[in-house]
């Protein structure tokens, strides 16, 4: 594993343990060149996934990009990082086991919306505002009104 600090090619694993949700192995490494320590995560990848974007653009599925999007929506909300990690891992696992190598970005967005709806209504609305491309305050009002109705039902 290349050192993120000095670029040296070799590092030594000092500690290895499963993550809290059991979906990855967390490894503490030490660079053999500069002796800096860093953490890596090893995950199972069942298949290569590609995301079909608008205008027929195709790009590799990026778990970190998905995690960043969900984390931004959940910023400063009472959602434990482990729950966010579980949500993202669950979405990735569902996508990998569906048997398709190409997934529309819309499907991923809907899966995130469904997951956030159960975690936190503010994070849900934040994500929706970007995903559904809200343009005016009225868009927020209408969507938030539907969220409260869903919560009452």
């Amino acid at each position: 594993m290349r050192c993120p600090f000095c670029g040296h090619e070799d590092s030594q694993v000092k500690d290895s343990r499963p993550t809290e949700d059991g979906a990855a192995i967390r490894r503490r490494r030490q660079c053999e060149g500069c002796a800096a320590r860093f953490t890596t995560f090893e995950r199972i990848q069942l298949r290569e996934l590609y995301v079909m974007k608008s205008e027929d653009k195709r790009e590799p599925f990026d778990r970190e990009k998905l995690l960043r999007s969900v984390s931004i929506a959940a910023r400063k909300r009472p959602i434990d990082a482990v729950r966010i990690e579980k949500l993202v891992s669950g979405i990735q696992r569902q996508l990998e086991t569906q048997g398709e190598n190409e997934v529309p970005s819309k499907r991923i967005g809907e899966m995130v919306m469904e997951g956030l709806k159960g975690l936190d209504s503010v994070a849900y609305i934040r994500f929706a505002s970007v995903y559904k491309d809200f343009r005016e305050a009225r868009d927020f009002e209408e969507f938030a009104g539907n969220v409260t109705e869903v919560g009452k039902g």
Side-chain angles (χ1 to χ4, degrees), residues 74-130:
R75 185 177 290 152
K76 295 187 180 181
R77 298 300 304 156
I79 305 172
D80 189 344
V82 173
R83 293 178 75 193
I84 293 172
E85 189 67 39
K86 282 183 181 179
L87 172 63
V88 171
S89 292
I91 290 170
Q92 182 179 7
R93 194 157 296 121
Q94 283 179 5
L95 293 172
E96 289 176 341
T97 57
Q98 286 177 351
E100 299 172 28
N101 289 346
E102 295 181 350
V103 181
S105 60
K106 183 177 181 178
R107 184 180 313 157
I108 296 170
E110 290 166 357
M111 294 169 83
V112 171
M113 295 267 298
E114 189 61 34
L116 285 175
K117 184 191 276 187
L119 284 181
D120 183 85
S121 59
V122 172
Y124 173 64
I125 292 170
R126 283 179 182 165
F127 187 85
S129 71
V130 175

Side-chain angles (χ1 to χ4, degrees), residues 1-5 10-19 24-32 35-42:
M1 176 71 52
R2 181 183 302 258
C3 175
F5 302 105
D10 296 318
S11 63
Q12 192 175 55
V13 175
K14 295 295 184 182
D15 180 44
S16 207
R17 66 180 71 166
T19 56
I25 301 291
R26 177 184 182 272
R27 299 193 193 284
R28 284 294 293 159
R29 296 178 174 269
Q30 184 169 4
C31 175
E32 293 181 2
R37 290 186 176 233
F38 57 98
T39 301
T40 60
F41 292 88
E42 182 179 311

Side-chain angles (χ1 to χ4, degrees), residues 53-69:
K53 308 287 266 180
S54 59
E55 301 174 15
D56 293 329
K57 287 198 285 187
R58 180 180 181 245
E59 64 183 48
F61 174 78
D62 184 349
R63 183 184 192 287
E64 293 307 311
K65 183 177 178 181
L66 179 60
L67 182 61
R68 271 192 313 277
S69 299

